[in-house]
Amino acid sequence: MVFGQDVMTMILKCLDARSVARSLAVSRGWNGVASRDVIWAPMCEELWKGKAHIPRFAKIRGVSRLVAYSFCVMDSRRTRIMQADLCDHVWEYRFKKIAPPYWLNLDPSWKGTGPPMRRYFHPNGSHTADPTDQVWGGHECTYSVVTSYVGGQISEHYVRINRWPQMTISRKPDWSWEMANNLYCYNSIPDSAKEEGTGPLFPVC
């Protein structure tokens, strides 16, 4: 190692994450320096800027920042929603323009009289809304996450509430979730400030 570790650290802190990651494979000496938290902690903070949700694993005390960064990148590519994701987030709920006028008139975000309605998923399989929600009406509600496989690959993945039309799942660039069918959509409300993070603790396919 030509430079001392402190000098190397200063140099590596000026590089992007991909370049630092490549330097991990140069030698044991390089790996020891390039994997330091002092290098990867700022990169994690930069990666998390503007993100709606931060994975739970990345917030575990004692996990190296290199591992946390790698996990976050991997988790950001996940399109399979889990019960932990549903329950950890508060969801905005609103109708689409195609919905019948009766329902649109009950949606404050369409009438311009208030923000979108909110929905809540619970670990016991129930699904609730705020007491003042005019659409909700106090009915009992349950949800299910359905995933089917063909040849070891996911062929179908959706969330269904009661027996209403199933909702397809999509992941946005800011790591938030959207669930939607032809009548309405759910959007996860950003909560990256949660100290414990959100979502499943370990990676899922």
Side-chain angles (χ1 to χ4, degrees):
M1 190 179 297
V2 178
F3 302 110
Q5 292 189 359
D6 291 342
V7 175
M8 281 189 63
T9 298
M10 292 175 60
I11 294 173
L12 291 172
K13 287 175 72 173
C14 295
L15 302 179
D16 61 87
R18 185 183 296 272
S19 298
V20 177
R22 287 175 177 169
S23 72
L24 292 166
V26 173
S27 67
R28 286 186 178 180
W30 278 74
N31 185 284
V33 177
S35 60
R36 286 180 168 182
D37 279 359
V38 69
I39 294 173
W40 286 98
M43 291 186 179
C44 284
E45 295 299 327
E46 185 64 29
L47 178 67
W48 295 341
K49 281 184 180 178
K51 298 302 189 291
H53 315 301
I54 307 301
R56 191 180 304 278
F57 181 85
K59 293 295 190 77
I60 296 176
R61 183 171 298 179
V63 171
S64 80
R65 295 301 83 192
L66 168 58
V67 173
Y69 187 99
S70 301
F71 179 87
C72 286
V73 171
M74 178 172 56
D75 188 76
S76 70
R77 299 170 182 153
R78 176 170 61 93
T79 56
R80 179 186 172 195
I81 200 166
M82 306 297 290
Q83 186 183 50
D85 298 301
L86 294 173
C87 296
D88 281 354
H89 308 313
V90 176
W91 297 78
E92 283 188 347
Y93 172 85
R94 71 192 311 265
F95 287 105
K96 293 185 175 180
K97 188 175 182 179
I98 196 173
Y102 172 80
W103 296 111
L104 292 179
N105 287 332
L106 293 177
D107 186 336
S109 63
W110 271 104
K111 294 189 300 181
T113 58
M117 297 169 283
R118 293 192 169 194
R119 296 288 186 267
Y120 311 90
F121 294 86
H122 307 284
N124 65 358
S126 64
H127 181 50
T128 59
D130 292 323
T132 56
D133 194 311
Q134 296 185 55
V135 173
W136 191 252
H139 57 269
E140 292 187 6
C141 197
T142 60
Y143 68 90
S144 58
V145 182
V146 179
T147 308
S148 57
Y149 297 83
V150 173
Q153 300 294 320
I154 294 177
S155 62
E156 196 172 33
H157 179 59
Y158 61 87
V159 171
R160 169 166 277 162
I161 296 172
N162 286 350
R163 298 195 63 79
W164 303 333
Q166 64 191 46
M167 297 184 291
T168 56
I169 314 299
S170 60
R171 193 87 181 266
K172 297 180 180 179
D174 68 352
W175 302 355
S176 63
W177 296 91
E178 180 175 273
M179 305 186 294
N181 55 32
N182 61 318
L183 293 175
Y184 50 79
C185 64
Y186 284 67
N187 288 281
S188 60
I189 296 176
D191 53 13
S192 58
K194 282 189 176 181
E195 291 186 5
E196 71 276 15
T198 62
L201 181 58
F202 296 109
V204 290
C205 298

